[in-house]
Amino acid sequence: MPVGLAIAGDRLIVSDLGNRWLSNWDLEGAHLGDVPMSGRLDMTIFGAAGGSIVGATSRRLEDRSSVIDVALFSIEGAETVRYASFPEPDAFALVTDAGGFVVPRLTGGPSFTAAASGEVYATVGEEYQVLAFDPSGSPLWALRAARPRQPFGEENKNAVLDPVRDRFE
């Protein structure tokens, strides 16, 4: 199932979350092959300078906690630069008559983008901050602002989940 697209050099890269691979296509539509991704590939990818892609993967630490790494990957799927690691957001379970599954928390995970010149910008929802990195992964600057986060209570959670629950009943 294709969930993310990026132009990386002369290739179209399609992230396939269900099969955990990146599909490589030329810009004329010819399939050039698939590359398995280690870790859990996020559905968001961006083309970066030099024909690479910026994406996020999840990995488990020795203490059994998880982090999300925002990193630069070659078209072959190898991580070449790790820009930042963020704690993985909490999740909550949605249980219906059709079964149960885990839904990631709707706030707190990192967002990121890549500039054509190779800089990468990342933010994490737990606080108002934007981090900037040069193409080699070195920090350029960090923007932080004191902006209180609005509470996300049960009523907000249910407003999002009720339509999903209804589809399974």
Side-chain angles (χ1 to χ4, degrees):
M1 167 179 43
V3 292
L5 300 171
I7 301 293
D10 61 353
R11 295 187 186 193
L12 171 66
I13 309 297
V14 180
S15 64
D16 184 334
L17 193 61
N19 292 312
R20 296 180 56 190
W21 65 43
L22 298 176
S23 293
N24 288 273
W25 304 80
D26 72 16
L27 298 179
E28 304 299 317
H31 185 239
L32 303 174
D34 300 314
V35 178
M37 286 295 295
S38 61
R40 190 184 82 215
L41 179 65
D42 188 277
M43 51 183 115
T44 307
I45 58 173
F46 292 95
S52 299
I53 59 171
V54 174
T57 59
S58 173
R59 66 186 165 93
R60 188 166 302 277
L61 302 177
E62 288 181 16
D63 68 359
R64 311 271 308 144
S65 64
S66 295
V67 295
I68 297 174
D69 296 320
V70 176
L72 184 71
F73 296 89
S74 69
I75 290 176
E76 293 76 31
E79 181 180 308
T80 58
V81 176
R82 184 173 298 158
Y83 297 106
S85 297
F86 300 101
E88 185 143 22
D90 296 333
F92 53 89
L94 173 62
V95 179
T96 68
D97 291 340
F101 54 93
V102 174
V103 177
R105 196 168 77 188
L106 300 177
T107 60
S111 297
F112 53 93
T113 192
S117 55
E119 288 85 9
V120 171
Y121 303 88
T123 185
V124 63
E126 290 298 316
E127 59 184 278
Y128 195 99
Q129 68 174 337
V130 177
L131 308 173
F133 302 91
D134 72 14
S136 71
S138 296
L140 291 172
W141 50 263
L143 175 149
R144 289 184 175 86
R147 307 258 177 161
R149 190 172 85 180
Q150 298 299 316
F152 193 82
E154 285 297 316
E155 67 281 355
N156 302 100
K157 193 186 305 183
N158 288 330
V160 173
L161 292 176
D162 284 345
V164 176
R165 286 186 185 106
D166 292 344
R167 293 176 71 189
F168 287 96
E169 293 179 351

